[in-house]
Amino acid sequence: DGGITQSPKYLFRKEGQNVTLSCEQNLNHDAMYWYRQDPGQGLRLIYYSQIVNDFQKGDIAEGYSVSREKKESFPLTVTSAQKNPTAFYLCASSLSEDSPLHFGNGTRLTVT
Amino acid sequence: KNQVEQSPQSLIILEGKNCTLQCNYTVSPFSNLRWYKQDTGRGPVSLTIMTFSENTKSNGRYTATLDADTKQSSLHITASQLSDSASYICVVRGSNYQLIWGAGTKLIIKP
């Protein structure tokens, strides 16, 4: 079955540590996205990539980094510079910029 | 400022009843509007897309409407089922493929 796999589902880290969230897709989509979801707010775009080896900052990129070395993979690193990293992180992909987004089932990150 | 506002924030109805969720937007220029369903702890799934020229579109028990003049959309759910319990998110695509997301309506269906 085609889809997006995010791992792990739950992640706990201490303040000051970097952490990497995994996102893999087998939909053969060119575009991939990382969103952050907080209670009572709409999804906020962190980074997106339209093609391998290229990515752009979204609305809240500070404290995050990404890479796109393979079409299938778009890992997100939450660095210690992110002031409030505890959140639900969603990875998505789309066939084109005007197509619906296909989401993974998210990673809930808790930093204490 | 481009914004998408959804109401109500949350809604509780009995199984079998109908309900309507609202989405008002101030996004300009407008390209299209999508409704997503998000089960708790899962990623959103697209339900339907509305373009400028469409007034109504159905997907099973879900019917979306769009009034581009008043910049309002609604999602009507008929004969609700327990599996309809979820958050429903409205998202508007503006210029340069920018997506503006609403905060969602949390719907709870009680048996």
Side-chain angles (χ1 to χ4, degrees):
Chain A
D1 275 343
I4 298 187
T5 302
Q6 289 188 246
S7 61
K9 190 162 180 64
Y10 299 96
L11 194 51
F12 298 89
R13 280 295 182 269
K14 296 286 187 187
E15 244 182 61
Q17 293 179 333
N18 293 353
V19 60
T20 298
L21 281 58
S22 169
C23 178
E24 304 277 332
Q25 57 106 350
N26 60 5
L27 298 166
N28 201 32
H29 287 170
D30 285 317
M32 296 188 74
Y33 312 80
W34 274 105
Y35 283 92
R36 172 182 170 136
Q37 187 173 37
D38 294 284
Q41 297 188 41
L43 270 65
R44 291 184 291 169
L45 182 64
I46 304 172
Y47 269 98
Y48 66 100
S49 167
Q50 295 172 300
I51 199 166
V52 174
N53 292 323
D54 188 43
F55 48 82
Q56 285 78 42
K57 292 182 180 180
D59 301 317
I60 56 164
E62 186 175 346
Y64 300 99
S65 66
V66 294
S67 63
R68 187 89 187 273
E69 297 175 4
K70 298 186 300 181
K71 188 175 186 176
E72 303 79 21
S73 179
F74 192 40
L76 173 75
T77 296
V78 184
T79 75
S80 56
Q82 169 48 232
K83 297 281 186 274
N84 186 18
T86 295
F88 189 51
Y89 290 88
L90 286 161
C91 179
S93 72
S94 67
L95 192 59
S96 67
E97 285 193 342
D98 207 25
S99 302
L101 297 181
H102 294 259
F103 285 89
N105 282 328
T107 291
R108 188 167 297 281
L109 173 64
T110 303
V111 177
T112 57
Chain B
K1 183 184 175 185
N2 287 332
Q3 281 187 317
V4 173
E5 294 188 356
Q6 294 188 242
S7 62
Q9 259 189 325
S10 62
L11 182 62
I12 302 174
I13 64 171
L14 291 175
E15 186 180 9
K17 298 296 186 184
N18 304 335
C19 67
T20 300
L21 315 179
Q22 299 289 344
C23 173
N24 296 342
Y25 60 93
T26 57
V27 179
S28 183
F30 171 89
S31 180
N32 59 51
L33 181 151
R34 280 188 194 274
W35 284 93
Y36 283 83
K37 177 186 179 188
Q38 184 178 22
D39 292 321
T40 301
R42 316 264 301 194
V45 175
S46 178
L47 287 174
T48 188
I49 178 173
M50 305 293 290
T51 57
F52 188 86
S53 58
E54 293 173 309
N55 297 120
T56 304
K57 186 179 282 186
S58 291
N59 177 5
R61 294 180 296 102
Y62 299 104
T63 299
T65 66
L66 176 68
D67 185 333
D69 292 331
T70 61
K71 298 189 176 181
Q72 296 179 324
S73 176
S74 67
L75 182 69
H76 184 76
I77 304 174
T78 304
S80 61
Q81 300 176 358
L82 297 178
S83 59
D84 292 331
S85 292
S87 287
Y88 292 84
I89 303 172
C90 172
V91 55
V92 178
R93 188 179 291 279
S95 62
N96 297 322
Y97 298 102
Q98 181 192 25
L99 293 177
I100 298 94
W101 296 80
T105 292
K106 186 178 174 96
L107 176 65
I108 298 172
I109 310 297
K110 292 210 159 184

